[in-house]
Amino acid sequence: MSDQTGAEHEGCGCGCGTPGRDAFVQLGTRPADGAGDAATPTPGRHGVEQLRVPAGTFTMGDSSGDRNPGDGETPLHEVTLEAFEIDATTVTNADFARFVDDTGYRTEAEMFGFSAVFHLAVEADPADLMGQADGTPWWFGVRGADWAHPGGPRSSIEGLDDHPATHVSWNDAVAYCAWAGRRLPTEAEWEYAARGGIDGAKYPWGHAEVDDGGWRANIWQGTFPRENTLDDGWLTTAPVRTFEPNGYGLWQPVGNVWEWCQDWFDPGYYPASPATDPRGPEQGGARVLRGGSYLCHISYCNRYRNSARSSNTADSSMGNAGFRTVALTPAGAQA
C-alpha cells in the first residue's frame, strides 16, 4: 500500500497515511477567515530534553528489502552530516500548550474548523462528522478536532500532557519552531538520528521485529481498521517516553506518531541528492513525514521502519502526526 498522502494520492488504501486537507474540504467545509495565520515569533521556552547526535556518515535508504514501491526509499546512498542536537521526544501537549499560551497561536485545524480523526478515536456528535474521505473510510473529517481536542469537541487533552501533540500541520510545526528558535529536522537528519548508530538496520533497535521479545513501538495489533487488540497497551498515542530509547537516546522515532520533516517530498530525490547534508528538493507539493504511527502494522503498512517515507500537504493535520525539532546551530559550534 502507499502512504503518499495529499489530495493527489487519495484512494491509495492507506492506513497510517491521512488524506490531505483538500479531501475533506471537498465534503463541504470551507476554510475559516485567516486560515494559515502564523504566530509572531517571541522568545520561546522549548523544554524538550536535547540529545547530541555525532557527526558521521551513514547509509540512507532501505536495505531490508521491505521498501514500498513509489516511496523513493532507494537507491541506497551514503550521506555525511555534521553533529546536531535533536529533541529526545516529540513535542508534547504540555510543550505545545506553552507555545499557545505565549503566542495566542491558532493552529490550522482551528482555523479551518476541522481535522482528520481515525474512526475509533472519534469523540464528537454526529452533526460534527463531515464524512469519510474517498478511499480511506476509516478517516473522518471532524469539526472541532484540534490539538486540544484530538478526538473532536467531546474530547480533551486532560491527563495527556506527556503524549505527543497531534493535529499539528507542517505550517503549525514551523510556527512552533520560530517561537522556540529551532527548526524541523531534515529528512537525512531524522533518519540518521532514528537509526541510533546502527547503520543499515531496519528499526531503531536493530533488525528484530516490533513484537519480538516484547513490544518495542506503538503500532496496530489486530484486524485493521476494525479491531485493535491493544497488545501494546494503546489504541492511539502513547506517552512520549514509552518503550525504550534508541542508541542516541531518541524515544519512539518509529510508531506512535508520524513526524514532520523540513524537506519537500519527491520520490525521485535520492539519485540526485547531495552526499553531504542533503536538504531535499527546492520545491514540491507536499512535505515529508517519517516514522509511521499507531495505525501501522506489518500486514499492510510497514512504514514504521527507519527508511520509510510518507508525505502530506503543509496545511494538513491529523490525529497521528506530530513533530520533534533540532537546534539551529550545529552541535559542534555550541560547545
Side-chain angles (χ1 to χ4, degrees):
M1 60 168 265
S2 174
D3 266 332
Q4 297 176 24
T5 51
E8 69 271 27
H9 299 123
E10 290 172 34
C12 63
C14 302
C16 268
T18 315
R21 189 175 296 281
D22 284 353
F24 295 109
V25 170
Q26 291 167 7
L27 294 175
T29 292
R30 298 173 59 84
D33 290 342
D37 287 351
T40 300
T42 59
R45 293 180 289 133
H46 183 68
V48 180
E49 178 192 358
Q50 294 301 289
L51 301 172
R52 184 183 187 277
V53 178
T57 299
F58 77 107
T59 303
M60 189 169 182
D62 174 64
S63 56
S64 70
D66 288 345
R67 65 190 70 111
N68 293 286
D71 285 1
E73 294 183 55
T74 55
L76 292 172
H77 56 292
E78 287 195 342
V79 171
T80 299
L81 297 173
E82 291 186 72
F84 59 96
E85 289 191 351
I86 190 169
D87 293 342
T89 70
T90 52
V91 170
T92 67
N93 286 320
D95 299 318
F96 201 77
R98 280 195 296 273
F99 160 59
V100 171
D101 289 345
D102 277 3
T103 64
Y105 183 79
R106 294 185 68 201
T107 61
E108 291 194 301
E110 293 167 284
M111 290 292 194
F112 279 89
F114 72 94
S115 192
V117 181
F118 183 66
H119 74 112
L120 295 182
V122 170
E123 295 183 59
D125 294 331
D128 291 321
L129 302 184
M130 297 165 57
Q132 300 143 297
D134 184 32
T136 54
W138 43 86
W139 282 108
F140 278 85
V142 179
R143 296 183 182 91
D146 56 49
W147 74 274
H149 306 89
R154 293 170 56 187
S155 66
S156 77
I157 56 171
E158 183 176 356
L160 303 177
D161 282 355
D162 60 348
H163 285 239
T166 59
H167 298 287
V168 175
S169 70
W170 185 90
N171 293 324
D172 297 331
V174 168
Y176 177 98
C177 288
W179 165 79
R182 302 179 66 78
R183 63 173 173 83
L184 293 175
T186 66
E187 188 174 14
E189 288 170 337
W190 188 95
E191 184 170 326
Y192 183 44
R195 290 185 177 280
I198 311 176
D199 198 36
K202 186 175 180 179
Y203 302 115
W205 53 84
H207 296 283
E209 291 301 330
V210 180
D211 59 348
D212 186 2
W215 287 97
R216 304 170 190 263
N218 178 17
I219 60 171
W220 185 273
Q221 307 90 50
T223 305
F224 185 86
R226 297 182 301 277
E227 180 190 11
N228 189 328
T229 58
L230 306 182
D231 293 349
D232 66 6
W234 309 98
L235 174 63
T236 60
T237 60
V240 295
R241 291 178 182 266
T242 306
F243 309 107
E244 295 293 327
N246 73 3
Y248 290 147
L250 274 72
W251 295 82
Q252 296 194 85
V254 302
N256 214 23
V257 293
W258 285 101
E259 299 181 21
W260 289 110
C261 291
Q262 179 175 286
D263 309 32
W264 290 107
F265 177 78
D266 178 357
Y269 178 66
Y270 282 6
S273 63
T276 300
D277 192 25
R279 298 276 166 154
E282 293 184 1
Q283 59 186 358
R287 297 288 184 172
V288 170
L289 286 159
R290 284 300 204 111
S293 83
Y294 56 79
L295 295 179
C296 281
H297 188 272
I298 196 169
S299 65
Y300 66 91
C301 169
N302 62 346
R303 284 175 175 82
Y304 49 93
R305 295 171 291 107
N306 290 326
S307 64
R309 312 174 72 208
S310 187
S311 66
N312 211 332
T313 57
D315 66 350
S316 293
S317 62
M318 65 289 305
N320 68 334
F323 67 104
R324 73 179 77 213
T325 73
V326 297
L328 294 175
T329 308
Q334 294 179 347

